[in-house]
Amino acid sequence: MKRIRLIKNNKHFQNFSIYGVGQFFNLLTPLIVAPYIISICGEEGFGKAGIGLSLVFILTVLVDFASGINGVKEISIHRNDPKTVEKIATTLFSIKLISLVLVVAFATVLIFSIPFLYQEKALFFFSLIVLVSQAINPTWFLQGIEKFKIISLITISGKLLYIIIILSQIKNPDDYIFVNFYFGLSMIITNVFCLFWLIRKRYLVLNVPKKEDIITVFKRDYKLTFSQLLLSLQQYSPILLIGYFGNNILAGQYKIIEQIVMIFRTYLQVIFNFIYPRVCYLLTQNKENGIRKWFYFNGLNFILILFSSFFLFIYAKEILEYFNVSDSLNLSFYLKLATFIPLLFAINIPLQQLVLAFNFQKKYVNSTVLTSIVLMLSIVLFFNLWQLTGVFISLLFAELLVILIYIYILRNHITNHK
């Protein structure tokens, strides 16, 4: 009982519990929204919306400009120095807004230039609002100063608003073009309220940015941003390639399975976001202690993912029936194949955390470039041979490849400090 009380009173456990409640809504929302959208718009409409969202999610990396990695890290390290925090926040928010303008212009050119995108131009233009929501998203700043209650509040508020809008506004099959617009709109509303609160409480102080600071951060982070872009392509390009080389129905079927499997990735990314600032901080204080705590926590997490994946494998058909799919028996084969992906996520993402925390930025960029190219080429090749089976085999191979690369990069750090 004494140990339990100590854990309950531990600040980091409390923060994680609060953060976890908020992020639970990130996992719950697709389970509520996706079956409803499929029932109204069908698998084809769901696939089209998924293609649009995947495109803007790829582009959000350019808007973020590594704020979720280096921004969080810098804020966390300098959290006790208000002037430095102000400088970092001002510079990164300025870069994000500049990037937003450039990315929207670039996306507009793409939509008008590529027939595959132009034929659904309304969907893609409505989807661009997600980029606006990401530009003003203060979550990276809140992670750095470890204000997890606020993160949970804006997450819950945004997701609840999104669910309400979807359930009240999506009524016809053609309404799939508004799905991503409503997602972005709900995020903008909650992010704006959060920014006003942070500024009013003086947690966030923004001034006129200095040109030299913007140039310095750009030179420092553009390679990392490029690597994150390739990582995003690795994650979101499959549905784009399926839609381009196949059809929207296949894209919708893939999106359904991806929606289920990506719950695990979302969960693991939540864990990454929560402990990444702490890992960076601990490694700067005591490398051996930081490695030990990283290994212990992620080991327990892997066991949880293992049992969850086993459950998903056993009840694949029943889970797909919940999502209102047209052929749950056939799609259950693909879902069972995809259940091995979360196990690789549970190894890949923690290793990525260490690679970044140890400042192996160049090696991280190189490994991301390699695995992204391998994945996209293998999807194009294997999709023509085996359709969706080939896509999931490609995803498994890419995740395994990046794990092996990360282990090689970290070989001296992990083995010497377990």
Side-chain angles (χ1 to χ4, degrees):
M1 292 299 296
K2 183 178 179 181
R3 182 179 292 272
I4 292 174
R5 283 195 298 270
L6 286 172
I7 293 173
K8 288 176 64 178
N9 293 328
N10 183 273
K11 178 184 175 182
H12 302 301
F13 176 78
Q14 292 174 352
N15 283 338
F16 179 72
S17 300
I18 294 167
Y19 188 63
V21 170
Q23 297 306 313
F24 173 73
F25 278 80
N26 274 335
L27 306 179
L28 185 63
T29 300
L31 300 180
I32 297 174
V33 170
Y36 178 77
I37 295 173
I38 295 168
S39 68
I40 299 296
C41 304
E43 292 173 11
E44 183 175 4
F46 186 66
K48 291 178 180 180
I51 291 172
L53 192 61
S54 294
L55 177 64
V56 293
F57 275 169
I58 291 170
L59 296 175
T60 55
V61 174
L62 299 176
V63 175
D64 278 339
F65 212 82
S67 59
I69 297 176
N70 279 347
V72 172
K73 182 178 179 180
E74 292 296 313
I75 293 291
S76 176
I77 292 173
H78 300 287
R79 68 182 74 177
N80 297 320
D81 184 353
K83 287 294 183 183
T84 303
V85 169
E86 177 185 327
K87 175 182 174 182
I88 295 167
T90 297
T91 302
L92 279 174
F93 271 116
S94 299
I95 289 176
K96 284 161 72 76
L97 291 175
I98 293 170
S99 299
L100 171 64
V101 174
L102 296 175
V103 171
V104 168
F106 173 70
T108 301
V109 172
L110 282 182
I111 293 170
F112 279 107
S113 302
I114 302 175
F116 173 68
L117 301 179
Y118 185 75
Q119 65 185 0
E120 291 289 344
K121 57 183 181 297
L123 167 67
F124 288 109
F125 276 119
F126 279 131
S127 299
L128 293 182
I129 195 174
V130 176
L131 300 178
V132 179
S133 70
Q134 197 63 24
I136 62 174
N137 187 349
T139 300
W140 65 273
F141 178 81
L142 293 167
Q143 288 169 3
I145 62 175
E146 298 191 25
K147 292 292 181 181
F148 295 106
K149 288 183 180 179
I150 309 303
I151 295 175
S152 292
L153 180 61
I154 63 173
T155 301
I156 293 171
S157 301
K159 296 305 181 185
L160 284 177
L161 183 58
Y162 174 56
I163 291 171
I164 291 170
I165 295 175
I166 288 294
L167 296 182
S168 62
Q169 298 300 316
I170 301 297
K171 298 298 182 182
N172 301 302
D174 291 339
D175 287 344
Y176 70 87
I177 66 173
F178 300 115
V179 169
N180 301 332
F181 175 79
Y182 294 143
F183 174 74
L185 179 63
S186 62
M187 295 300 105
I188 286 176
I189 293 171
T190 53
N191 287 337
V192 167
F193 274 104
C194 182
L195 281 173
F196 277 128
W197 183 86
L198 285 170
I199 293 171
R200 184 180 178 184
K201 293 294 184 179
R202 305 291 294 178
Y203 288 117
L204 177 61
V205 179
L206 299 175
N207 288 309
V208 178
K210 294 181 180 180
K211 181 179 178 181
E212 54 269 26
D213 292 337
I214 292 176
I215 294 173
T216 298
V217 172
F218 178 83
K219 289 181 178 179
R220 184 195 70 188
D221 291 348
Y222 81 92
K223 289 184 179 179
L224 179 59
T225 300
F226 177 69
S227 71
Q228 289 298 104
L229 176 63
L230 291 176
L231 189 64
S232 186
L233 281 169
Q234 181 177 327
Q235 182 176 347
Y236 297 114
S237 65
I239 190 172
L240 291 170
L241 295 173
I242 292 169
Y244 184 79
F245 289 104
N247 55 60
N248 291 319
I249 294 177
L250 280 176
Q253 292 175 341
Y254 170 82
K255 180 64 178 177
I256 293 166
I257 296 172
E258 182 202 44
Q259 195 86 74
I260 299 168
V261 173
M262 285 303 149
I263 290 174
F264 292 91
R265 189 178 189 96
T266 300
Y267 164 75
L268 290 166
Q269 199 63 50
V270 165
I271 300 299
F272 178 101
N273 292 337
F274 178 81
I275 68 173
Y276 179 64
R278 178 57 48 178
V279 168
C280 292
Y281 181 77
L282 289 174
L283 288 174
T284 58
Q285 302 299 310
N286 186 307
K287 182 178 177 181
E288 183 175 351
N289 181 52
I291 289 287
R292 184 168 58 250
K293 289 188 175 180
W294 169 89
F295 194 83
Y296 174 76
F297 185 84
N298 287 295
L300 293 176
N301 210 36
F302 179 81
I303 294 173
L304 174 63
I305 297 297
L306 178 63
F307 280 104
S308 301
S309 297
F310 180 73
F311 176 85
L312 185 62
F313 186 91
I314 296 299
Y315 294 100
K317 183 175 181 294
E318 289 77 6
I319 291 170
L320 285 166
E321 288 174 350
Y322 168 78
F323 279 84
N324 295 318
V325 300
S326 58
D327 188 359
S328 59
L329 182 62
N330 183 44
L331 288 183
S332 65
F333 167 77
Y334 300 123
L335 181 56
K336 288 180 178 180
L337 182 61
T339 55
F340 293 97
I341 297 176
L343 297 176
L344 300 179
F345 285 164
I347 301 172
N348 174 355
I349 292 176
L351 289 174
Q352 177 192 348
Q353 190 176 73
L354 280 188
V355 169
L356 293 170
F358 280 125
N359 292 315
F360 289 119
Q361 309 287 6
K362 185 175 181 180
K363 292 181 179 179
Y364 173 75
V365 171
N366 292 337
S367 64
T368 304
V369 170
L370 175 62
T371 53
S372 299
I373 293 173
V374 169
L375 175 63
M376 287 186 284
L377 289 177
S378 61
I379 286 177
V380 173
L381 174 62
F382 293 150
F383 179 76
N384 289 328
L385 294 175
W386 304 311
Q387 298 280 291
L388 290 183
T389 302
V391 174
F392 289 112
I393 289 175
S394 299
L395 292 170
L396 286 166
F397 176 73
E399 291 296 328
L400 182 59
L401 176 62
V402 77
I403 287 171
L404 295 175
I405 293 173
Y406 285 163
I407 290 174
Y408 179 78
I409 294 172
L410 295 166
R411 61 193 182 282
N412 295 327
H413 293 277
I414 296 178
T415 55
N416 292 341
H417 294 278
K418 280 186 183 180

